[in-house]
Amino acid sequence: MGLLRIMMPPKLQLLAVVAFAVAMLFLENQIQKLEESRSKLERAIARHEVREIEQRHTMDGPRQDAALDEEEDMVIIYNRVPKTASTSFTNIAYDLCAKNKYHVLHINTTKNNPVMSLQDQVRFVKNITAWKEMKPGFYHGHVSYLDFAKFGVKKKPIYINVIRDPIERLVSYYYFLRFGDDYRPGLRRRKQGDKKTFDECVAEGGSDCAPEKLWLQIPFFCGHSSECWNVGSRWAMDQAKYNLINEYFLVGVTEELEDFIMLLEAALPRFFRGATELYRTGKKSHLRKTTEKKLPTKQTIAKLQQSDIWKMENEFYEFALEQFQFIRAHAVREKDGDLYILAQNFFYEKIYPKSN
């Protein structure tokens, strides 16, 4: 028997297609509204939790500043660069915060703008330093480096960060805007529906894959000065290098994330005790991968590498990688293919005056 076909007049077919398209647009709009409502609910819950914590501290009596030891007064800022495994690493902090007894706070800026207004900089610095109920605290967000010293703060927070090979980071971000990731697969992304590959974008000279889009890790480390955001600025790169060495406690690389976590656990166990084991053998809820990502061809990579912007961003990445590997070499030893943290290698002697 042949297939049963239901013939429809062309006008009815056209109406059916239009009706289907309208229905899909309506559903997408409803999904977007639900996502916005969910975000509002999350913010409301977060505000409620903060109020509860503050009330609990008030009921327990005023805190004595003198009683706060260094570890309990500690604040870490992770001014995360997009698409460098930042969500993966941050989720480890969330998984550990209850067990290790510290607070995690997300710095959510409007439209993910990494540059704060001057008045917001002042508010942020005051919040970080004076909000004792949130100490010890781990703050994270897509915000460029902010120098607390210029605001007269005596005790600055501890900065950490992770960076990534600049082309790999851009490719990941390109596909993330189109297909999202496995962390929130239902969320509609800004470039959803654009099926053009990264290779095709580069070949056509598209704006989303232009060399200027590589300019991100340098300004994130450079900070809030206008010159930091001038694409291709040699001063910005030099300032970023200076800040990386002098203002950051540790900067890891995405490609060696486990080693970064291991060093943090060894140096800052108040926050990261158990992080290495969680990363290695945990339920892997912290892992996040961009979907539909296609690796660029050698021709595409070679074309981007001709850009002076790539050369500067890559120089900064190689600088950070060399510094990280230097720190690691003096902190760990390899045995049977595994890395082990070195025990304390200094002690005190000839202590005078002698006690009776």
Side-chain angles (χ1 to χ4, degrees):
M1 293 178 63
L3 294 174
L4 179 62
R5 296 183 180 179
I6 300 175
M7 301 300 294
M8 296 177 61
K11 288 185 178 180
L12 286 178
Q13 291 181 9
L14 179 60
L15 285 173
V17 170
V18 171
F20 179 77
V22 170
M24 291 302 297
L25 287 173
F26 175 77
L27 285 174
E28 287 183 357
N29 184 52
Q30 293 300 108
I31 290 171
Q32 191 70 25
K33 287 182 178 179
L34 285 172
E35 182 63 31
E36 291 173 358
S37 298
R38 186 194 63 79
S39 297
K40 290 179 180 178
L41 179 61
E42 285 181 347
R43 289 195 292 269
I45 292 172
R47 286 194 294 268
H48 177 70
E49 290 175 344
V50 167
R51 283 196 295 268
E52 280 191 337
I53 292 171
E54 289 178 334
Q55 288 172 2
R56 189 160 62 246
H57 279 280
T58 302
M59 291 173 64
D60 291 341
R63 256 185 175 174
Q64 299 298 318
D65 290 347
L68 277 178
D69 62 31
E70 287 296 314
E71 286 192 339
E72 298 307 302
D73 195 38
M74 189 180 296
V75 171
I76 294 175
I77 296 181
Y78 172 33
N79 65 315
R80 39 195 283 206
V81 180
K83 304 314 296 175
T84 58
S86 61
T87 300
S88 301
F89 174 64
T90 301
N91 282 345
I92 291 176
Y94 276 113
D95 287 346
L96 292 173
C97 66
K99 179 181 177 181
N100 291 346
K101 294 182 172 52
Y102 61 87
H103 300 283
V104 181
L105 300 91
H106 179 214
I107 311 160
N108 190 348
T109 59
T110 303
K111 296 183 179 179
N112 284 329
N113 186 356
V115 177
M116 290 182 173
S117 66
L118 184 61
Q119 58 270 32
D120 274 348
Q121 292 178 42
V122 173
R123 295 184 188 110
F124 180 60
V125 170
K126 285 183 177 179
N127 288 157
I128 292 287
T129 54
W131 202 359
K132 293 182 173 59
E133 289 79 10
M134 291 296 116
K135 292 182 179 180
F138 180 96
Y139 292 75
H140 67 96
H142 297 312
V143 182
S144 59
Y145 170 76
L146 184 63
D147 182 10
F148 277 59
K150 69 187 291 183
F151 297 91
V153 173
K154 293 180 180 179
K155 182 178 180 180
K156 298 194 291 185
I158 295 173
Y159 267 94
I160 62 172
N161 216 326
V162 177
I163 69 171
R164 186 177 186 178
D165 175 277
I167 291 180
E168 290 183 5
R169 193 205 65 79
L170 180 59
V171 171
S172 182
Y173 189 63
Y174 178 88
Y175 285 109
F176 173 74
L177 290 180
R178 286 153 177 79
F179 301 102
D181 54 29
D182 56 3
Y183 185 64
R184 293 164 72 182
L187 182 61
R188 182 176 178 82
R189 301 296 173 178
R190 180 151 46 96
K191 295 286 185 174
Q192 187 169 323
D194 181 3
K195 305 294 185 182
K196 187 182 299 179
T197 68
F198 187 80
D199 289 325
E200 292 169 343
C201 179
V202 171
E204 297 172 8
S207 59
D208 285 347
C209 55
E212 289 76 14
K213 295 293 184 180
L214 292 166
W215 189 259
L216 190 68
Q217 298 186 130
I218 286 175
F220 256 74
F221 279 79
C222 179
H224 277 69
S225 300
S226 62
E227 187 64 19
C228 295
W229 297 89
N230 286 339
V231 178
S233 167
R234 174 63 58 173
W235 181 90
M237 186 179 71
D238 291 341
Q239 185 64 38
K241 287 181 177 180
Y242 175 88
N243 288 342
L244 186 148
I245 296 297
N246 295 284
E247 304 296 343
Y248 280 79
F249 179 77
L250 183 66
V251 176
V253 293
T254 304
E255 297 78 6
E256 299 174 12
L257 188 61
E258 182 178 326
D259 296 354
F260 172 71
I261 293 169
M262 181 188 297
L263 289 173
L264 282 176
E265 181 174 0
L268 300 172
R270 177 66 182 81
F271 284 81
F272 298 105
R273 185 178 292 106
T276 308
E277 184 70 14
L278 177 64
Y279 183 81
R280 288 175 176 171
T281 63
K283 60 185 179 179
K284 304 298 182 184
S285 62
H286 53 276
L287 296 180
R288 177 179 185 178
K289 294 180 180 178
T290 301
T291 56
E292 302 289 335
K293 184 169 63 177
K294 297 179 177 64
L295 297 177
T297 63
K298 292 181 179 179
Q299 292 83 357
T300 295
I301 293 173
K303 186 173 182 179
L304 286 173
Q305 288 177 342
Q306 295 173 5
S307 163
D308 289 337
I309 298 170
W310 173 82
K311 292 174 183 176
M312 294 180 70
E313 276 280 347
N314 191 65
E315 180 181 334
F316 179 68
Y317 168 76
E318 294 289 347
F319 178 83
L321 177 61
E322 181 181 3
Q323 174 68 9
F324 174 71
Q325 291 177 339
F326 177 83
I327 293 172
R328 183 181 60 188
H330 288 79
V332 302
R333 286 291 179 269
E334 185 176 350
K335 182 180 180 182
D336 299 328
D338 293 324
L339 294 179
Y340 296 90
I341 293 292
L342 289 174
Q344 182 170 313
N345 272 338
F346 73 92
F347 60 94
Y348 303 101
E349 62 180 3
K350 299 180 181 179
I351 303 173
Y352 287 85
K354 296 289 186 181
S355 58
N356 295 327

